[in-house]
Amino acid sequence: MKHQDATPSRGPGQDRTGHGRSEPPPPPDAERTERELADALHALAGGVLPDPDAYRTARGEWLRRERRRRLVLAVLVAVVFALATLIGLWVLNQAPSEPGVIFSGDGAAAADGPSLPRPPG
């Protein structure tokens, strides 16, 4: 809430002391000047005609921008995909070629030992 909204209204004709306030009188020909200005602006606005190809031109520009945006997006996706593929291939190429040791025990394989008894059935 603004400060001016929180203060009570004193009315249009009062000042801070609560006394009546008189507004300065308007210039002698204010109404005639306003009317002539309004007439001139209406005449000027009435003389403005839209370009007959304005919609077609605006639509063409919009379609060009849309095509360009889609093309840039497609190129960006292709570059990211190619970069990710190259990085993945490079990482796979850095792996050692000889097999690594997964289990270092000398024990027998689990399939060679005794198995659990089967349930009757």
Side-chain angles (χ1 to χ4, degrees):
M1 183 182 289
K2 296 181 184 176
H3 175 70
Q4 67 186 18
D5 294 338
T7 58
S9 175
R10 291 183 295 268
Q14 295 178 351
D15 60 7
R16 288 186 178 179
T17 60
H19 299 324
R21 176 177 49 168
S22 64
E23 296 187 17
D29 292 332
E31 290 181 17
R32 185 176 62 86
T33 304
E34 288 179 13
R35 187 178 63 248
E36 288 177 357
L37 182 59
D39 291 341
L41 289 175
H42 284 294
L44 181 64
V48 175
L49 298 175
D51 185 17
D53 292 337
Y55 175 75
R56 189 178 314 146
T57 304
R59 186 173 184 271
E61 289 176 9
W62 179 79
L63 288 174
R64 265 193 302 281
R65 281 188 304 236
E66 186 69 17
R67 277 193 299 266
R68 183 175 177 172
R69 184 187 65 83
R70 288 182 183 181
L71 180 65
V72 167
L73 183 63
V75 168
L76 184 63
V77 166
V79 166
V80 168
F81 180 77
L83 191 62
T85 302
L86 290 174
I87 290 173
L89 290 174
W90 179 77
V91 167
L92 287 174
N93 195 30
Q94 299 301 315
S97 58
E98 66 275 349
V101 176
I102 297 174
F103 297 107
S104 61
D106 291 335
D112 294 342
S115 63
L116 295 174
R118 294 184 177 199

